[in-house]
Amino acid sequence: HHIVCDGWSLNVVINELGEFYAASRGAGQPALSPVLAFTAYAEGQARRDAAEREAVEAYWLGQFASPVQPMELPSDRARLAQRTYAGGTRCHRIDKTLYRAVKSAGARNGCTLFVVLLAAFEALMGRLAGVEDLVVAVPTAGQSLVEDRRLVGHCVNFLPIRGGWSADTSFADHLRAVGKQVLDAYEHQECTLGTIVRKLALPRQPNRLPLTEIQFNLERLADKLHAAGLDIEVTPNPKGCVNFDMFWNVIESDDGLRIDCDYNSDLFDPSTIDRWLRYYETLLEAMTVDVSRPVIRMPYVPADEQNWVIEACNATAAAYPRDMRVPDLINAWAARQPDARAVMFRGEAFTYREINERANRLAQHVHARIGAAPARVGVLVERSVDMLVALLAVWKAGCAYVPLDPLHPAGRIRTSLADADVAALLTDGSLNIAPLGAGVAIIDIVRERDTIGSRPAVQPAPGGPGALGADAAAYVIFTSGSTGSPKGVEVSQRSLVNLLCAMAKTPGLRASDTLLAVTTIAFDIAALELFLPLSVGASVAIAEREDAVDGFKLLAALKASAASVMQATPTTWRMLLEAGFRSWPGFRMLCGGEALSRELADRLLEGGGSLWNMYGPTETTVWSSCSEIIPSDAPVTIGWPIANTQLHVLDRYGELAPIGVTGELHIGGDGVANGYFRRDDLTAEKFIADPFGVSPRLYRTGDVARRLPGGEIQLLGRLDSQVKLRGFRIELGEIEAAVMQHAGVAAAAVLLREDVPGKPMLVGYVVERPGAPRPEEALRASIADQLPDYMIPSRWVHLAGLPISANGKLDREGLPAPGEPTPSADRFLPPE
């Protein structure tokens, strides 16, 4: 080894060597030659150095014996595939009153100011990112490792201090834990961050740092310096380039604290950083008052922002006929305009009088067959006027309907009817599902048409207390359950009336409109398609089943009906576009049931029609929010809550998530369903008390969302669709959105499959545009610019079309397993 050594260091070595040489000539020992003495000295010193180095490395490797997941702070923009190092700086001052209170609180808990500030920083970053395990880089001066202080230079090493807490860890315990971690880290600072990363063999990515991307420091520096006749004030130069995503440098002075935050401007807006600096101050204020509260319960959102999020963003109170039922609304229009067109089917028009009288006669027939007591009645009828009449008749008979699709398996239909405990089944003989059990009346509206036609054309009298009240159930509809067993959602008449009145105003429906109904009644959005027009004096055109599943036939039905409004899922709208659909001015498109991509929205808007993104789970009565989408580069949001509805984003502990921070979307208001029919356990799990006292209950949607600075809500995926691959958390929707940006792709889906045990992989399913070549190579290059390598599918499957469920949604279970990899998938590409 060739060593460059200055004179002073050489003198130290010579002196130590002399002492070692003298000691080697002890009594009774032969004298060593200077060369042998030097060799022995050097070897011993090397062994001691190696042992100390191994002990330090062992400490840090022990700190990270369990892997640390990359921390994802809620950013304003997606992380770029390659770092640009673009940055900015924001400053925030904390006055001396709070500064002294923070120091006093730390002293009471036996902690230095640095420990208190670092502990609060860890807590804030963890709450923002939704994690309880994180790593913060703390810079240390390398000069402290040298006994002589004459070394000059920026010899900075970063100590990766790992913090963490549990749900019941108090902030006081967190302070003590951070204090110990800091002391331990400083005692083992002889190991560089680069060495730790190398020893841990962490995967490297071109767009982020390994182990940690946040940094924290505290320094003592007077704001004002004094020289002869001068007052000198120090302010930081804003950074134009940064290495870390975020670096909080806290400067302590007699006037208080100044926080200079350098941040990655590719990810964050200045307003976001300013907001987080205020959160930090709020958290410090809370800490000075009470450190016995758990870390996860420490308030950090300022009161004015919290009030704005809870109240102003949910100011949706609106009057509507709370004591009326949907059939009451339709009866009123039948009396007002009996000869107006209400329904169209197969080119034939039916007036309000005809529909109302047919429903009344069938309701009388149901009464005669099952009695007057309120009950649930199944409706298993093919798409037709009879289907709509049957649904209305069940209501007029004082009952709740259970909608069923004839295409569903007979076993599922039988299970739904049994779970709903139906008293009768209205059918047109389209499917034989007998036997249903004793006490269930089968009413075949085709075979019994003559008897039904002879009944009085007036609505039956109420069958019992509350039978026709607004609190009565309107329907019990079955949705897929996570356990594989469908569960019935019971929705009241009042909830449905609120929805219809809200939708009549926004997006709006007038008596002059015609709405084309395309959705199976087994999907709850069909309730809006069928009853919203009739509740405002408009008309509904019912598409046949064959039309609703074929893009070309549906486009023909749309033109034939002269519809001015249509509601469908993104999958159905995409099917229409592939058949040549183009919107036109005055035509309103309602899109919901699945995530609406910006690419699809822009295509639907090309012709000049208006587009509304609708959102809502079955458990909150069809739709809970809506947003008009206009051409722009902004993300598609679900907008604002509809009338008498509240939207809250809560973190995993039920605390309010502030602006920009992800959490689970909760819905309150008049649209919240009664619960799951005769499933008190599931109802208690998903319907919780409203912590804000606005609504009696909130429904936990399971959707990941965040509130944007303007107040609207952006959906980011599902809690139950987030997957993990090689330790990385992945949102499949993010990959699908990247794939859909390729010009040659008409439709796409991504799944995490494990067809070979122990070998999970991402599989991409694509449908090419007509005439476009298979875009696999270009696809890989395209999404590689947007996504890290672990999010790029390993296999691609080319399909003529994506499988669609009866509800018009993507049927993920119907996606086939991939075959052998294509040659291009394994082709070696040399590095460039």
Side-chain angles (χ1 to χ4, degrees):
H1 299 284
H2 299 278
I3 303 173
V4 179
C5 187
D6 61 24
W8 177 84
S9 299
L10 181 60
N11 187 53
V12 172
V13 173
I14 291 174
N15 288 337
E16 291 187 357
L17 177 59
E19 295 175 1
F20 185 84
Y21 178 68
S24 70
R25 301 178 63 185
Q29 296 182 1
L32 293 175
S33 70
V35 173
L36 293 177
F38 180 84
T39 301
Y41 165 78
E43 290 176 349
Q45 188 63 39
R47 285 193 297 271
R48 288 191 295 273
D49 290 346
E52 291 177 1
R53 187 166 57 250
E54 290 175 0
V56 171
E57 290 179 0
Y59 166 80
W60 288 111
L61 294 179
Q63 289 291 299
F64 301 101
S66 58
V68 180
Q69 298 296 331
M71 188 178 70
E72 298 291 349
L73 286 168
S75 60
D76 297 298
R77 288 167 293 280
R79 189 178 295 274
L80 299 177
Q82 190 78 31
R83 289 174 62 89
T84 69
Y85 300 96
T89 301
R90 303 298 293 178
C91 297
H92 184 76
R93 291 184 180 272
I94 293 176
D95 62 35
K96 59 184 177 182
T97 301
L98 179 56
Y99 158 61
R100 291 170 180 170
V102 170
K103 290 190 71 174
S104 298
R108 291 194 300 270
N109 288 273
C111 298
T112 65
L113 177 64
F114 174 75
V115 168
V116 174
L117 296 177
L118 175 60
F121 178 74
E122 286 185 354
L124 177 61
M125 294 296 106
R127 294 287 294 278
L128 291 175
V131 299
E132 298 167 350
D133 181 17
L134 74 167
V135 181
V136 178
V138 174
T140 60
Q143 291 92 333
S144 62
L145 300 179
V146 181
E147 293 183 3
D148 183 80
R149 300 309 174 99
R150 292 188 295 174
L151 177 62
V152 177
H154 193 63
C155 304
V156 173
N157 180 37
F158 292 104
L159 302 179
I161 297 179
R162 185 173 188 176
W165 51 85
S166 62
D168 56 356
T169 301
S170 69
F171 201 86
D173 290 339
H174 177 54
L175 284 173
R176 287 187 283 271
V178 172
K180 184 178 185 307
Q181 291 163 354
V182 169
L183 289 176
D184 290 345
Y186 273 95
E187 289 180 0
H188 298 85
Q189 60 179 302
E190 294 84 357
C191 187
T192 66
L193 179 61
T195 300
I196 297 171
V197 171
R198 188 170 60 254
K199 292 285 185 179
L200 291 173
L202 297 176
R204 307 300 288 269
Q205 299 176 45
N207 63 345
R208 64 191 313 163
L209 296 174
L211 202 58
T212 180
E213 292 172 297
I214 57 175
Q215 182 189 159
F216 183 87
N217 184 46
L218 171 66
E219 59 180 288
R220 173 77 185 185
L221 182 66
D223 278 342
K224 294 184 178 180
L225 306 178
H226 298 282
L230 296 176
D231 285 336
I232 304 171
E233 186 171 327
V234 179
T235 58
N237 289 324
K239 296 289 181 66
C241 297
V242 298
N243 286 326
F244 284 76
D245 283 350
M246 192 170 299
F247 171 31
W248 283 30
N249 190 43
V250 184
I251 297 95
E252 177 189 9
S253 71
D254 295 337
D255 294 332
L257 301 174
R258 188 185 80 223
I259 306 173
D260 300 333
C261 177
D262 302 331
Y263 64 94
N264 181 346
S265 58
D266 287 333
L267 293 177
F268 307 109
D269 289 333
S271 58
T272 298
I273 302 302
D274 291 341
R275 192 163 55 246
W276 292 358
L277 288 166
R278 292 196 302 272
Y279 292 170
Y280 187 62
E281 181 175 0
T282 302
L283 181 58
L284 289 177
E285 290 174 347
M287 185 272 300
T288 62
V289 175
D290 183 10
V291 294
S292 65
R293 301 178 66 172
V295 175
I296 63 171
R297 303 295 180 190
M298 292 294 288
Y300 66 101
V301 181
D304 56 345
E305 179 181 321
Q306 185 161 343
N307 292 337
W308 179 77
V309 168
I310 296 174
E311 298 174 7
C313 292
N314 289 294
T316 61
Y320 71 99
R322 297 177 54 87
D323 297 327
M324 295 184 69
R325 301 165 71 239
V326 178
D328 299 333
L329 301 179
I330 299 173
N331 287 342
W333 281 102
R336 186 182 308 175
Q337 50 178 38
D339 297 322
R341 186 181 65 187
V343 182
M344 290 187 298
F345 181 69
R346 290 181 177 174
E348 186 178 359
F350 301 84
T351 66
Y352 272 84
R353 177 188 288 110
E354 291 172 315
I355 294 298
N356 204 39
E357 289 181 353
R358 287 178 61 175
N360 286 340
R361 287 191 172 94
L362 181 54
Q364 291 279 1
H365 191 66
V366 171
H367 250 221
R369 293 289 302 274
I370 68 172
R376 287 153 303 284
V377 176
V379 177
L380 183 65
V381 180
E382 273 292 352
R383 298 185 63 79
S384 62
V385 176
D386 286 340
M387 176 190 73
L388 175 58
V389 168
L391 297 174
L392 287 174
V394 172
W395 282 342
K396 288 172 175 287
C399 299
Y401 69 74
V402 180
L404 303 164
D405 191 322
L407 287 187
H408 284 176
R412 180 186 176 94
I413 294 174
R414 193 176 293 112
T415 299
S416 298
L417 291 171
D419 290 346
D421 189 19
V422 299
L425 173 66
L426 296 180
T427 181
D428 57 1
S430 58
L431 183 66
N432 180 18
I433 57 168
L436 289 178
V440 177
I442 306 296
I443 302 174
D444 191 321
I445 59 178
V446 174
R447 295 180 179 177
E448 302 175 41
R449 190 176 300 277
D450 292 340
T451 304
I452 296 171
S454 65
R455 301 288 184 183
V458 295
Q459 184 169 310
L468 294 180
D471 291 325
Y475 58 79
V476 175
I477 191 167
F478 283 83
T479 66
S480 297
S482 57
T483 61
S485 175
K487 52 187 183 294
V489 180
E490 183 179 285
V491 173
S492 72
Q493 286 282 347
R494 178 176 290 118
S495 294
L496 188 54
V497 168
N498 178 69
L499 169 79
L500 298 181
C501 292
M503 292 292 99
K505 294 178 181 178
T506 306
L509 198 73
R510 302 176 296 273
S512 58
D513 283 318
T514 297
L515 189 151
L516 179 62
V518 301
T519 309
T520 171
I521 61 171
F523 190 7
D524 66 326
I525 70 174
L528 181 142
E529 297 177 6
L530 297 174
F531 305 125
L532 177 58
L534 301 183
S535 69
V536 298
S539 60
V540 55
I542 301 176
E544 297 186 63
R545 181 182 299 278
E546 293 76 12
D547 297 340
V549 296
D550 184 290
F552 295 96
K553 291 181 179 180
L554 183 56
L555 181 58
L558 182 61
K559 294 178 180 178
S561 66
S564 55
V565 183
M566 192 179 107
Q567 170 186 260
T569 64
T571 301
T572 300
W573 282 117
R574 198 176 294 279
M575 181 178 68
L576 259 180
L577 286 170
E578 295 307 315
F581 167 77
R582 185 178 176 86
S583 67
W584 59 89
F587 182 65
R588 271 160 289 161
M589 298 168 283
L590 278 57
C591 186
E594 296 173 302
L596 172 62
S597 67
R598 169 54 65 181
E599 172 269 340
L600 177 58
D602 290 343
R603 292 181 64 193
L604 290 172
L605 290 168
E606 286 176 353
S610 62
L611 174 64
W612 292 80
N613 188 28
M614 316 299 293
Y615 166 79
T618 302
E619 288 83 349
T620 57
T621 313
V622 188
W623 303 133
S624 299
S625 73
C626 64
S627 173
E628 185 173 11
I629 307 301
I630 59 175
S632 74
D633 295 330
V636 173
T637 74
I638 63 170
W640 303 84
I642 68 170
N644 304 300
T645 302
Q646 300 87 44
L647 303 180
H648 302 292
V649 181
L650 306 183
D651 66 19
R652 59 194 296 193
Y653 300 110
E655 298 289 328
L656 182 70
I659 295 171
V661 176
T662 59
E664 182 180 3
L665 183 60
H666 291 63
I667 302 176
D670 289 0
V672 176
N674 295 340
Y676 296 113
F677 183 71
R678 295 182 181 175
R679 293 295 304 272
D680 293 341
D681 54 338
L682 284 178
T683 300
E685 176 186 347
K686 298 292 287 185
F687 295 83
I688 64 173
D690 183 357
F692 311 112
V694 179
S695 176
R697 293 183 304 165
L698 298 181
Y699 171 69
R700 298 173 50 205
T701 66
D703 289 324
V704 180
R706 65 174 180 173
R707 190 179 296 277
L708 299 182
E712 63 270 34
I713 298 290
Q714 180 185 15
L715 287 187
L716 302 173
R718 288 282 304 168
L719 289 174
D720 50 13
S721 70
Q722 188 182 79
V723 300
K724 272 193 174 184
L725 180 63
R726 301 196 302 273
F728 294 101
R729 292 183 296 182
I730 297 173
E731 287 287 352
L732 297 179
E734 183 179 357
I735 307 176
E736 293 170 349
V739 174
M740 283 303 303
Q741 293 182 18
H742 191 277
V745 176
V750 178
L751 280 185
L752 179 66
R753 304 186 66 103
E754 194 171 352
D755 298 301
V756 178
K759 294 184 178 181
M761 64 177 177
L762 288 173
V763 179
Y765 299 85
V766 294
V767 178
E768 294 91 4
R769 295 191 185 281
R774 287 199 168 185
E776 186 167 318
E777 285 296 340
L779 253 181
R780 289 176 177 275
S782 174
I783 64 177
D785 287 338
Q786 306 174 56
L787 304 174
D789 57 354
Y790 64 84
M791 293 181 69
I792 298 177
S794 304
R795 302 279 184 89
W796 296 93
V797 179
H798 299 270
L799 301 174
L802 296 179
I804 301 175
S805 69
N807 291 350
K809 295 184 179 182
L810 172 65
D811 181 10
R812 292 186 179 273
E813 294 183 358
L815 293 169
E820 293 298 318
T822 59
S824 60
D826 290 339
R827 198 178 79 189
F828 171 73
L829 297 178
E832 297 178 352

